[in-house]
Amino acid sequence: RILGFIAEWFDPHPQIVKKYLLKYYCETCEVEMKDLSTNRKFLKKTKIPPSLKEADFFVGANILLLSRDLKLIDYADSVTRKLLDDVDERTFCFLPPTLYDSMADIVSMIEHAGFTLVDIKSTNFVDYDDMKGAIELMRGINVDDVARPEPAIVMSFRGANSIS
């Protein structure tokens, strides 16, 4: 099985963003890359570091590969899109300050259920006006619990059936 992605890398010397076709070979844990601007091979098939797993390859992921911080921005083909669309569903979890002490347990429980933590942010919702964009997503949450001076934690998870 081969997963294909479009990856971006910011090259600091000429200050440009380069795009690559990145192919991940699941069975052999190898990657190869092609520079999309020149249509030439950039990296021949190479073993990835043991720290990288198949679950690390998804749209929106940042992959550190051979000292390059690559951002996977899109699927490269319809086969990869079809394989990963169900697994790549996203959901969000909001933790008010009262649950900070339980955050590690909550994250462990969600990951144990088969989801992967993608992003975590600390944010302040000081008043109702700050929350207008998010209020539709937070049905059933008491606005007074959210609109507080202490920062809240918002986490993004990915996994199959995460929005059912």
Side-chain angles (χ1 to χ4, degrees):
R1 181 166 92 154
I2 302 170
L3 303 177
F5 297 94
I6 303 299
E8 284 184 340
W9 173 62
F10 178 72
D11 190 344
H13 296 297
Q15 297 283 305
I16 60 171
V17 175
K18 294 186 176 187
K19 288 190 178 183
Y20 299 95
L21 169 64
L22 183 143
K23 290 184 181 179
Y24 173 66
Y25 296 84
C26 300
E27 283 76 28
T28 59
C29 296
E30 294 176 312
V31 293
E32 71 178 345
M33 293 171 57
K34 181 170 86 171
D35 187 328
L36 292 176
S37 62
T38 62
N39 209 26
R40 295 176 53 169
K41 189 175 279 193
F42 178 77
L43 177 68
K44 67 180 182 176
K45 251 192 203 184
T46 306
K47 285 273 191 200
I48 61 170
S51 59
L52 281 177
K53 306 287 183 229
E54 182 177 341
D56 296 325
F57 290 83
F58 58 90
V59 172
N62 286 314
I63 305 284
L64 185 61
L65 191 62
L66 301 174
S67 300
R68 284 185 167 75
D69 189 17
L70 301 169
K71 178 157 180 88
L72 305 182
I73 60 167
D74 199 3
Y75 299 113
D77 53 59
S78 60
V79 174
T80 303
R81 182 178 306 279
K82 188 174 181 174
L83 282 170
L84 296 184
D85 255 354
D86 290 340
V87 178
D88 206 26
E89 291 179 349
R90 306 279 173 103
T91 193
F92 296 89
C93 177
F94 173 85
L95 258 62
T98 55
L99 293 177
Y100 283 179
D101 293 340
S102 306
M103 187 167 64
D105 294 333
I106 292 168
V107 170
S108 293
M109 181 180 67
I110 294 171
E111 288 181 333
H112 185 70
F115 298 100
T116 303
L117 179 64
V118 175
D119 203 3
I120 187 168
K121 301 273 185 209
S122 175
T123 186
N124 278 47
F125 295 116
V126 178
D127 59 32
Y128 187 79
D129 289 335
D130 290 341
M131 296 177 47
K132 282 182 182 173
I135 211 72
E136 285 297 314
L137 298 172
M138 298 191 296
R139 295 224 182 264
I141 294 176
N142 183 352
V143 175
D144 294 330
D145 291 339
V146 178
R148 301 171 61 100
E150 303 94 4
I153 302 294
V154 181
M155 296 178 282
S156 170
F157 291 90
R158 70 183 281 273
N161 302 315
S162 65
I163 49 179
S164 59

